[in-house]
């Protein structure tokens, strides 16, 4: 007995080797090394299940949809229609919150500062891509600080003229503008708004000179067109139709690549001499950058499923709105393309925000 103790203390490696040859220790080692990979596998499965449970739980509370315009306008109406449909598809409440100001920057800043959990979203328009071109600085990066969810809908702009103008077609308007540079004018909702910047793009493409008259909002800009104070305006089918039917306005062209089924007799600017030109009021959903991938995927699926909602489609049709419901990647590409395009337009025209 004493000899064996001395052997273990004096030669530990030999003693351990001797112990490892015992049947009990060999059985222990076999179980230990056999169970290790099983334990590791169980751990991975457990973590995966936790992730799936977390993903499946979204959304488990109301979602806030922030709109950068006051209540009552076209964008607000479409946002509220969309919120109702998304709420049904996601089995939760989607609440619209209006946050107008600074060309949409107030709403965008609010969303950027929100937790990236999928519960605060931005319902935005081309103001999001125009602002980097007309503001010296913004409290966020238009691309890096947002995660695209989907383009939802779009409204092509409609170029209309007062009935008393001496031209009745787009070609006649261009010819008259070239023969009388600076004599014609057009109204818009303000400097840096979509109708302003898309009209400037058109004038640059056609190389004609028409004077811009900015107003504080779309309503007064339309009122002065109806009164004949200004000659032209970029409007929408929804708001211009009644005035066209009454004979107060005449449509010249629609700023989309395809004719509108609501006004199939009105040609596109694209087919009339400005290939590829578009003036589109699009509406889409953005989330804060870093939003959980599972939440973004759920939102994208729900948005794309809007295309199958017949009631929603009828509501949009009544407002002259085209349903798009595209992918996050296509929306990201649109944003990137427009940022570059508007910077070029602003650089040539020198336009600034109000």
């Amino acid at each position: 007995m004493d000899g064996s103790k001395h052997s273990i203390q004096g030669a530990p490696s030999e003693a351990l080797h001797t112990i490892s040859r015992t049947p009990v220790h060999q059985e222990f080692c076999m179980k230990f090394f056999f169970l290790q990979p099983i334990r590791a596998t169980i751990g991975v499965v457990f973590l995966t299940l936790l992730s799936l449970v977390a993903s499946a739980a979204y959304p488990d509370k109301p979602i806030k949809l922030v709109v950068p315009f006051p209540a009552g306008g076209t964008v607000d109406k479409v946002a509220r229609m969309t919120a109702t449909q998304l709420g049904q598809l996601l089995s939760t409440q989607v609440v619209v919150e209006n946050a107008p100001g600074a060309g949409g920057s107030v709403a965008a800043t609010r969303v950027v500062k929100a937790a990236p959990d999928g519960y605060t979203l931005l319902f935005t328009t081309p103001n999001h891509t125009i602002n980097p071109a007309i503001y010296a600085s913004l409290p966020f990066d238009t691309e890096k600080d947002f995660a695209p969810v989907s383009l939802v809908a779009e409204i092509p702009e409609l170029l209309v003229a007062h009935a008393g103008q001496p031209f009745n077609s787009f070609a006649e308007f261009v010819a008259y503008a070239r023969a009388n540079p600076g004599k014609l004018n057009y109204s818009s909702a303000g400097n840096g708004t979509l109708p302003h910047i898309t009209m400037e793009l058109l004038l640059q493409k056609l190389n004609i000179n028409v004077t811009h008259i900015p107003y504080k909002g779309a309503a007064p800009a339309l009122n002065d067109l109806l009164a004949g104070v200004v000659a032209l305006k970029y409007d929408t089918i929804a708001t211009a139709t009644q005035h066209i039917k009454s004979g107060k306005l005449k449509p010249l062209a629609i700023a989309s690549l395809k004719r509108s089924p609501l006004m199939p007799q009105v040609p596109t600017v694209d087919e009339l001499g400005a290939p590829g030109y578009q003036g589109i009021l699009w509406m889409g959903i953005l989330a804060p950058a870093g939003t959980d991938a599972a939440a973004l995927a759920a939102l994208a699926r729900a948005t794309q499923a809007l295309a199958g909602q017949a009631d929603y489609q009828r509501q949009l049709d009544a407002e002259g709105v085209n349903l798009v419901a595209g992918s996050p990647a296509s929306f990201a590409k649109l944003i990137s393309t427009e940022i570059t395009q508007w910077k070029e337009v602003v650089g040539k025209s020198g336009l600034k925000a109000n």
Side-chain angles (χ1 to χ4, degrees):
M1 179 71 70
D2 292 341
S4 62
K5 287 181 180 179
H6 179 74
S7 173
I8 292 174
Q9 293 172 356
S13 60
E14 181 182 348
L16 290 173
H17 180 68
T18 301
I19 292 174
S20 68
R21 288 197 297 265
T22 65
V24 174
H25 186 266
Q26 288 176 348
E27 182 180 358
F28 170 78
C29 289
M30 290 178 65
K31 288 182 178 180
F32 178 81
F33 288 111
F34 176 74
L35 289 174
Q36 280 298 96
I38 295 178
R39 287 171 178 162
T41 302
I42 291 173
V44 171
V45 171
F46 180 70
L47 291 174
T48 301
L49 287 174
L50 281 179
S51 176
L52 290 173
V53 169
S55 301
Y58 177 85
D60 60 1
K61 62 181 181 179
I63 296 171
K64 186 185 301 181
L65 189 63
V66 183
V67 179
F69 299 101
T74 300
V75 175
D76 176 71
K77 288 181 182 178
V78 176
R80 292 179 186 278
M81 295 176 195
T82 304
T84 299
Q85 294 296 323
L86 287 178
Q88 294 173 3
L89 291 166
L90 292 167
S91 301
T92 192
Q93 186 179 14
V94 180
V95 181
V96 171
E97 180 180 287
N98 299 94
S105 295
V106 171
T109 301
R110 185 172 300 181
V111 172
V112 163
K113 292 181 177 180
D117 54 11
Y119 291 99
T120 303
L121 308 172
L122 179 65
F123 192 82
T124 193
T125 65
N127 65 282
H128 190 72
T129 57
I130 293 171
N131 285 343
I134 61 176
Y135 287 99
S137 63
L138 293 169
F140 52 81
D141 187 294
T142 306
E143 291 186 271
K144 294 180 181 178
D145 288 340
F146 296 90
V149 174
S150 176
L151 190 64
V152 175
E154 60 183 27
I155 304 174
E157 293 183 300
L158 178 70
L159 183 62
V160 290
H162 183 265
Q165 290 301 315
F167 44 82
N168 296 305
S169 68
F170 184 82
E172 290 178 3
F173 149 64
V174 173
Y176 185 87
R178 285 180 175 154
N180 301 273
K183 184 176 180 179
L184 290 174
N185 55 22
Y186 73 96
S187 63
S188 81
N191 286 321
T193 58
L194 180 67
H196 177 203
I197 200 166
T198 49
M199 187 66 169
E200 289 300 317
L201 175 60
L202 177 62
L203 299 178
Q204 288 175 15
K205 284 183 173 292
L206 298 174
N207 193 28
I208 56 178
N209 182 11
V210 178
T211 303
H212 176 229
I213 309 295
Y215 287 77
K216 292 187 178 299
L222 178 59
N223 288 338
D224 267 11
L225 174 66
L226 294 171
V229 176
V230 293
L232 301 147
K233 182 183 183 298
Y234 254 140
D235 209 79
T236 65
I237 290 176
T239 53
T241 296
Q242 61 177 317
H243 304 300
I244 292 171
K245 288 182 177 179
S246 69
K248 294 179 180 179
L249 300 178
K250 44 192 173 186
L252 302 180
I254 192 163
S256 58
L257 298 180
K258 296 189 299 183
R259 295 193 182 199
S260 170
L262 298 177
M263 284 189 179
Q265 78 281 7
V266 179
T268 68
V269 176
D270 171 79
E271 66 185 89
L272 292 173
Y277 173 85
Q278 295 187 86
I280 304 291
L281 170 59
W282 52 258
M283 289 158 272
I285 298 175
L286 297 171
T291 296
D292 178 68
L296 287 175
L299 289 166
R301 285 194 300 270
T303 307
Q304 289 163 15
L306 291 172
Q309 306 300 305
D311 289 342
Y312 179 66
Q313 180 70 71
R314 281 193 289 270
Q315 290 175 333
L316 294 183
D317 288 344
E319 295 291 330
V321 181
N322 302 326
L323 176 62
V324 180
S327 68
S330 62
F331 191 22
K333 183 178 180 180
L334 171 67
I335 291 172
S336 179
T337 300
E338 284 204 353
I339 288 174
T340 301
Q341 174 179 267
W342 299 140
K343 284 182 178 179
E344 292 177 356
V345 172
V346 169
K348 292 178 180 179
S349 65
L351 65 85
K352 298 182 182 297
N354 285 325

